[in-house]
């Protein structure tokens, strides 16, 4: 079983739509969780950390379910500029300074 | 966040040659990592660059092929040795974010796009 699994998409949605991405991870000892965004031919950039209580940043909401080893990202009121690949990322099963493990990413295209 | 300068941004190399990629961080960081991203794929960790000791390589990656240096807390290099077309990929370095890895994850350099012909 892969360590971090995501639906690869692509998700093609109209502007203004709400879209949700899901991710599962295999190592129950994982401690830190993130969503990264990667634009075409660019490096990944941190979108948001994911906290146990869930957290929101503007139009973006992240949820973590440790019991199910499941992470989600909800994007409301999608913009054309949200088009990118969204990477589910996990680390920390030994200590806080372990490398990141990336999912393969979910591609989102927001269409006018 | 920490700013990482990575160079070269791209190169086209002949098979059998070697290329050294450099990453400079604008602040001291404990951890630096090197990743590879093949076309259409996600990131795969090559190794952890340890300051003052040998790098720690992941399964499938060896020091003879990917020697790494980490002379201080702000700089690291990755060399891709004896290149073949299969080494064509994007190589990325990363370092911990400025609020620590558990809060701000890791920051990435802009990547080196390598094509081996």
């Amino acid at each position: 079983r892969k360590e971090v699994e995501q639906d690869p998409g692509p998700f093609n949605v109209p502007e203004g739509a709400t879209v949700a991405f899901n991710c599962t991870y295999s190592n129950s000892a994982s401690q830190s969780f993130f969503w990264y965004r990667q634009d075409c031919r660019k490096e990944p950039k941190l979108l948001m950390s994911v906290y146990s209580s869930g957290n929101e940043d503007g139009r973006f909401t992240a949820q973590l379910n440790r019991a199910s080893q499941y992470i989600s990202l909800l994007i409301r009121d999608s913009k054309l500029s949200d088009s990118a690949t969204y990477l589910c990322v996990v680390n920390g099963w030994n200590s806080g300074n372990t490398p990141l493990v990336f999912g393969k990413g979910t591609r989102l295209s927001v269409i006018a | 966040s920490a700013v990482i300068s990575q160079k070269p941004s791209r190169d086209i190399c002949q098979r059998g040659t070697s290329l050294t990629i450099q990453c400079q961080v604008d602040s001291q960081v404990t951890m630096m990592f090197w990743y590879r991203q093949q076309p259409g794929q996600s990131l795969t960790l090559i190794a952890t660059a340890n300051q003052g000791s040998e790098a720690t390589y992941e399964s499938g990656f060896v020091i003879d092929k990917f020697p790494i240096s980490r002379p201080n807390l702000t700089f690291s290099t990755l060399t891709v040795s004896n290149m073949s077309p299969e080494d064509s990929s994007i190589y990325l370095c990363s370092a911990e974010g400025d609020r620590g890895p558990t809060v701000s994850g890791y920051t990435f350099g802009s990547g080196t796009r390598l094509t081996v012909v």
Side-chain angles (χ1 to χ4, degrees), chain A residues 80-97:
Chain A
L80 294 174
S81 56
D82 294 334
S83 298
T85 297
Y86 290 84
L87 301 165
C88 178
V89 184
V90 177
N91 87 333
W93 34 83
N94 290 322
S95 69
N97 283 350

Side-chain angles (χ1 to χ4, degrees), chain A residues 34 36 38 43 49 97 100 103, chain B residues 31 35 37 42 101 103 106 109:
Chain A
F34 309 94
Y36 275 71
Q38 187 171 26
E43 73 276 19
S49 302
N97 283 350
L100 302 177
Chain B
M31 308 298 287
Y35 287 84
Q37 186 173 29
S42 191
V103 174
Y106 293 89

